[in-house]
Amino acid sequence: MILNETTGKWESRYWHPAVTVDAVVFGFDGEKLNVLLIERGGEPYKGAWALPGGFIIQTDKSAQDAVYRELHEETNVDDIFLEELETFSDEGRDPRERVITIAFFALVVKDKYIIKGGDDAREAKWFPIDKLPELAFDHNKIIDVALERLRQRIHFEPVGFHLLDKEFTMPQLHSIYLAILNPPADDKKLRDRRNFPKKMLKLGYIRPTGKKITGNPHRSPALYTFDEEAYKTAKKIGMRLEF
Amino acid sequence: MILNETTGKWESRYWHPAVTVDAVVFGFDGEKLNVLLIERGGEPYKGAWALPGGFIIQTDKSAQDAVYRELHEETNVDDIFLEELETFSDEGRDPRERVITIAFFALVVKDKYIIKGGDDAREAKWFPIDKLPELAFDHNKIIDVALERLRQRIHFEPVGFHLLDKEFTMPQLHSIYLAILNPPADDKKLRDRRNFPKKMLKLGYIRPTGKKITGNPHRSPALYTFDEEAYKTAKKIGMRLEF
DNA sequence: CCAAAAGTGTTTCCGATACACCCATGA
DNA sequence: TCATGGGTGTATCGGAAACACTTTTGG
């Protein structure tokens, strides 16, 4: 596309669709999974809740870049785990014009950031995954896809860590697995507290720090960290790291 | 974007990137995995081999639609298993202008179609996966990603069937698993012919037809089909169908 | 000293893997 | 009838899942 200086418009011999990025940002509050939403400040769907995101601009080096930029502008969230989800391209997604959206899913430590609105977003707020409002565009559908992806991922990749502080306890990590997978109440296999640490440690990339939580009402759980090196090498040699 | 009738150009207040779709089409020849490539008929990379694909046009109802259209035009391939792979958006992918590519991976019965060139493609040809030429753009990288995805998929989804006729034998299916996963020669677990049918049947969605192959030099293997219904219900109730 | 939560250890049992054997077919 | 590939059956071994018990901490 070339900018026509006199008209101030972008011109092209061929039709180009508009391209946006949206992010499904998950956070964990100790009990439930939450999604970060913004209140739209402009049309269409003005005043409705939506996923943070926006149009890719010329200076974005990649779609990921655009997501980082938008998240920073709209919600003050930085430095997160980000993975491409899917690209939504059906016609009719946006009432204005044809829009193709590259959706991402992200995992953050929920209370590490002070969420704020900004720019196109009047407000930014966390919503529990089971109490989502009606969202703008097809964003409810995008969240469904993201949740499904997360549920798949957690079986094989160490995604839980991204929702917790660098140092975490086994009970904390366990509660994340339960919140995401939500197994039936009689599922001892997943729910039994005693099996969980064994499985996790067997994966080989969780290291005890030797430290303990302090100021606990009861026995203080031990702290662990994610060993990125061990994970990478295990993955490189093609190890199947299933949970 | 709006078409300016007098200049014949598309105009927009905002910058839009160009969007293309590309497909990594896999086929199986009984021994090796193959990828379908086309020889580019136009600039850039004229004469180089590339993935089939092209620009999304206004009349495509979705990116998938665009892939089907391009595959039909360029290679005469129809009615295939198609899944979104990833969207490549880095700047510099195309020397002409900023291009975002939604990549798909596809599985077809290799000899079901008479491959032909057409339109932008001078020729279309199958290449064994281990003898790929230097490709245009970042298409070698896209194939790498597709292969990796296929290797992951085959553990949990019934992808092998799409590479075979509706009715297939266990040895045929087994050879696909070996071609894709390529386990070491001493890996009895995967290579032992005798374990394979048991594992497959235990998944619950492969049905024997009662028929046999005829005209075999030796004992004739039995024929099986993929039971789509059984697969869907198994998947719906969240069954983990691992291989 | 009690209750609640975390940690360690043990046993059982299922099911994948490895192995042996029999069958069908064309040459 | 023999060679080759295909099919059926079985024993074993490991490791996940279910279970029991001890330890720590604050109130």
Side-chain angles (χ1 to χ4, degrees):
Chain A
M1 280 191 117
I2 291 164
L3 184 62
N4 184 323
E5 301 282 356
T6 57
T7 63
K9 288 189 175 176
W10 292 89
E11 292 181 350
S12 164
R13 271 182 54 78
Y14 302 100
W15 176 81
H16 287 33
V19 178
T20 69
V21 292
D22 284 331
V24 183
V25 183
F26 290 110
F28 184 66
D29 59 12
E31 194 190 352
K32 279 182 175 177
L33 211 55
N34 292 67
V35 179
L36 184 60
L37 299 177
I38 57 140
E39 191 183 4
R40 286 184 61 82
E43 292 294 347
Y45 293 100
K46 186 171 179 175
W49 291 96
L51 294 172
F55 289 93
I56 288 190
I57 60 179
Q58 220 186 348
T59 49
D60 293 323
K61 295 211 190 316
S62 66
Q64 288 232 2
D65 243 50
V67 177
Y68 285 125
R69 179 180 51 73
E70 292 280 356
L71 282 181
H72 183 78
E73 289 172 7
E74 292 186 346
T75 64
N76 199 33
V77 165
D78 274 312
D79 179 34
I80 55 172
F81 170 85
L82 196 63
E83 180 178 311
E84 192 188 318
L85 184 62
E86 202 176 296
T87 298
F88 295 82
S89 60
D90 292 357
E91 59 181 0
R93 296 187 56 251
D94 191 304
R96 292 166 294 184
E97 63 172 324
R98 184 69 178 273
V99 174
I100 288 174
T101 293
I102 309 173
F104 288 78
F105 92 99
L107 303 174
V108 304
V109 183
K110 180 169 172 286
D111 296 321
K112 196 169 163 187
Y113 307 99
I114 295 121
I115 303 303
K116 56 144 203 187
D119 283 30
D120 293 336
R122 278 209 290 233
E123 203 189 342
K125 211 174 117 188
W126 289 102
F127 285 80
I129 200 68
D130 55 352
K131 279 170 193 156
L132 295 176
E134 276 288 312
L135 301 184
F137 309 106
D138 53 357
H139 287 188
N140 284 98
K141 185 187 166 192
I142 295 178
I143 290 180
D144 286 347
V145 174
L147 245 181
E148 185 53 33
R149 174 74 62 92
L150 179 58
R151 280 196 246 268
Q152 303 291 346
R153 273 280 169 285
I154 202 169
H155 285 292
F156 300 97
E157 313 247 352
V159 290
F161 316 101
H162 298 287
L163 295 166
L164 292 170
D165 293 321
K166 217 174 191 99
E167 304 201 326
F168 54 87
T169 70
M170 283 294 180
Q172 282 174 343
L173 190 58
H174 190 196
S175 67
I176 286 182
Y177 276 73
L178 294 180
I180 293 176
L181 295 172
N182 193 30
D186 64 334
D187 184 328
K188 317 221 172 157
K189 174 174 144 185
L190 285 175
R191 294 205 110 98
D192 190 329
R193 174 183 55 80
R194 296 166 293 187
N195 287 327
F196 186 81
K198 275 180 265 183
K199 285 196 224 180
M200 275 298 144
L201 291 172
K202 193 157 51 61
L203 297 180
Y205 47 69
I206 297 186
R207 243 208 346 263
T209 63
K211 284 183 266 181
K212 282 184 179 185
I213 283 277
T214 113
N216 226 34
H218 306 290
R219 179 171 183 175
S220 304
L223 286 166
Y224 296 83
T225 43
F226 172 53
D227 187 336
E228 186 135 18
E229 292 311 310
Y231 172 67
K232 278 184 184 165
T233 52
K235 196 167 187 182
K236 197 164 283 175
I237 58 173
M239 225 173 121
R240 295 275 294 284
L241 301 165
E242 188 172 356
F243 170 75
Chain B
M1 281 191 115
I2 291 164
L3 184 61
N4 185 323
E5 301 283 355
T6 57
T7 62
K9 287 188 175 176
W10 292 90
E11 292 180 351
S12 165
R13 270 183 55 78
Y14 303 100
W15 176 81
H16 287 33
V19 178
T20 69
V21 292
D22 284 331
V24 183
V25 183
F26 290 110
F28 183 67
D29 59 11
E31 193 189 352
K32 278 182 176 177
L33 211 55
N34 293 68
V35 179
L36 184 59
L37 299 176
I38 58 140
E39 192 182 3
R40 286 184 61 82
E43 292 295 347
Y45 293 100
K46 187 170 179 173
W49 291 96
L51 294 173
F55 289 94
I56 289 190
I57 59 178
Q58 220 186 349
T59 50
D60 294 322
K61 295 212 190 317
S62 66
Q64 289 232 2
D65 243 51
V67 178
Y68 285 126
R69 181 180 49 74
E70 292 281 356
L71 282 180
H72 182 80
E73 288 171 7
E74 292 186 347
T75 65
N76 199 34
V77 165
D78 275 312
D79 180 31
I80 55 172
F81 170 85
L82 195 63
E83 180 179 310
E84 192 189 317
L85 184 61
E86 203 175 296
T87 297
F88 296 82
S89 61
D90 291 356
E91 59 181 0
R93 297 186 56 250
D94 191 304
R96 292 167 295 182
E97 63 171 325
R98 185 69 179 273
V99 174
I100 289 176
T101 293
I102 309 173
F104 288 78
F105 92 100
L107 303 173
V108 305
V109 184
K110 179 167 172 287
D111 296 321
K112 196 170 165 187
Y113 307 99
I114 295 119
I115 303 303
K116 56 143 200 186
D119 283 31
D120 294 335
R122 279 210 289 234
E123 203 189 342
K125 213 175 116 186
W126 288 103
F127 285 80
I129 200 68
D130 54 353
K131 279 171 195 156
L132 294 176
E134 275 288 311
L135 301 185
F137 309 105
D138 53 357
H139 287 188
N140 285 98
K141 184 187 166 194
I142 295 179
I143 291 180
D144 286 346
V145 174
L147 245 182
E148 184 54 32
R149 175 73 64 93
L150 180 57
R151 278 197 248 267
Q152 302 292 346
R153 272 279 170 287
I154 202 168
H155 284 292
F156 300 97
E157 311 248 351
V159 289
F161 316 101
H162 299 287
L163 294 166
L164 292 170
D165 292 321
K166 215 172 192 103
E167 304 201 325
F168 54 87
T169 70
M170 283 294 180
Q172 283 174 341
L173 190 58
H174 191 198
S175 67
I176 286 182
Y177 276 73
L178 294 180
I180 292 177
L181 295 172
N182 194 30
D186 64 335
D187 184 329
K188 317 222 172 154
K189 172 174 145 185
L190 284 174
R191 295 204 109 99
D192 190 329
R193 172 183 57 80
R194 296 165 294 186
N195 287 327
F196 186 81
K198 275 180 267 184
K199 286 196 223 178
M200 275 298 143
L201 291 172
K202 193 158 50 60
L203 296 181
Y205 47 68
I206 296 188
R207 245 208 345 263
T209 64
K211 285 182 267 182
K212 282 185 179 185
I213 283 278
T214 116
N216 225 35
H218 305 291
R219 179 172 183 173
S220 304
L223 286 166
Y224 296 83
T225 43
F226 171 53
D227 187 337
E228 187 136 17
E229 292 311 310
Y231 171 67
K232 278 184 185 166
T233 53
K235 196 168 188 184
K236 195 165 286 174
I237 58 175
M239 226 173 120
R240 295 275 295 284
L241 301 165
E242 188 173 355
F243 169 76

